[in-house]
Amino acid sequence: MLKCDIRKFFDSIRHDILLEIICQHIHDESAIRLLRQIIGSFEKSPGAGLPLGNVTSQLFANIYLNELDQFMKHRLKAKHYLRYCDDFIILGDDQVTLNETIGEVGDFLRARLKLSLHSRKVIIRKSRQGIDFLGYVVLPHHRALRTKTKQRIFKKAKRGINNHSFQSFLGVLSHCSGYDLKRRLYKEAELPKTNKSRYTDDNV
């Protein structure tokens, strides 16, 4: 299993390359003019960068990395490839092939998108060891919550949280083997007395 991360992804997105990709699919001049204004309204460095948190940035990021997706599918013929924003995983049982893939992906990112892999976040490991991905450790038969995420949740819970945050934490735990963690959260969360009665162990 290979896990990769792109170095300073949002800061490194080139405006000219993004617009080139968009223009391959959109030919309306008014739409292109508007998109050019949106993209050019922010720069981390000359001609590059998208603001974190903007809804348009999430869309542009997927448009930009669709080039990587197509490369993985049609050039490398990757059968098991998963990507979320700039984090991606390739499943395979041949370490030599996975090592070769790192070089091929790195070359493509540099040549086509002017991006680079984060050298400290390129990891090859056996699937039974689990892979840290999107806040969870993904194992062959279940998902566990990442230790840092768990610590952050309970640190906030001890300080007292509102109902909205409480429900958000339950949502995070619903995607992993988190039964015991849910029980602990119910016990430790300091909710207003008027709402505590709504959350009992029966809801876990």
Side-chain angles (χ1 to χ4, degrees), residues 86-194:
D86 59 330
D87 291 315
F88 57 95
I89 289 175
I90 303 165
L91 302 180
D93 54 9
D94 185 342
Q95 187 167 342
V96 173
T97 300
L98 292 176
N99 273 307
E100 292 174 351
T101 298
I102 295 171
E104 292 174 302
V105 170
D107 290 345
F108 172 80
L109 289 173
R110 283 189 295 272
R112 177 68 182 105
L113 300 175
K114 307 305 179 187
L115 299 173
S116 60
L117 293 174
H118 197 306
S119 60
R120 294 198 304 271
K121 295 183 179 180
V122 174
I123 301 168
I124 294 179
R125 62 191 308 169
K126 296 177 180 178
S127 60
R128 67 172 179 268
Q129 295 175 300
I131 192 74
D132 190 332
F133 191 60
L134 306 180
Y136 302 92
V137 177
V138 183
L139 293 148
H141 303 293
H142 71 285
R143 288 185 299 273
L145 191 64
R146 179 193 289 165
T147 299
K148 288 185 178 179
T149 306
K150 178 169 58 179
Q151 291 172 343
R152 187 164 56 249
I153 285 176
F154 287 106
K155 183 178 180 180
K156 290 182 178 180
K158 287 179 179 179
R159 290 202 304 259
I161 55 175
N162 58 31
N163 292 337
H164 179 75
S165 296
F166 184 79
Q167 292 297 328
S168 296
F169 293 156
L170 288 181
V172 170
L173 294 175
S174 71
H175 297 291
C176 65
S177 302
Y179 178 82
D180 291 337
L181 295 177
K182 287 181 184 179
R183 292 182 64 87
R184 179 182 167 190
L185 181 61
Y186 278 104
K187 291 178 180 178
E188 295 191 9
E190 295 183 4
L191 297 169
K193 291 182 179 179
T194 54

Side-chain angles (χ1 to χ4, degrees), residues 45-95:
S45 60
L50 294 178
L52 291 174
N54 280 17
V55 175
T56 53
S57 296
Q58 305 302 318
L59 175 61
F60 292 147
N62 274 325
I63 291 172
Y64 206 75
L65 284 185
N66 180 61
E67 300 294 299
L68 173 63
D69 297 340
Q70 298 306 314
F71 174 78
M72 297 296 300
K73 179 179 180 181
H74 298 293
R75 292 280 298 280
L76 295 189
K77 307 294 184 182
K79 294 182 179 179
H80 306 290
Y81 162 71
L82 304 89
R83 179 180 66 81
Y84 182 85
C85 196
D86 59 330
D87 291 315
F88 57 95
I89 289 175
I90 303 165
L91 302 180
D93 54 9
D94 185 342
Q95 187 167 342

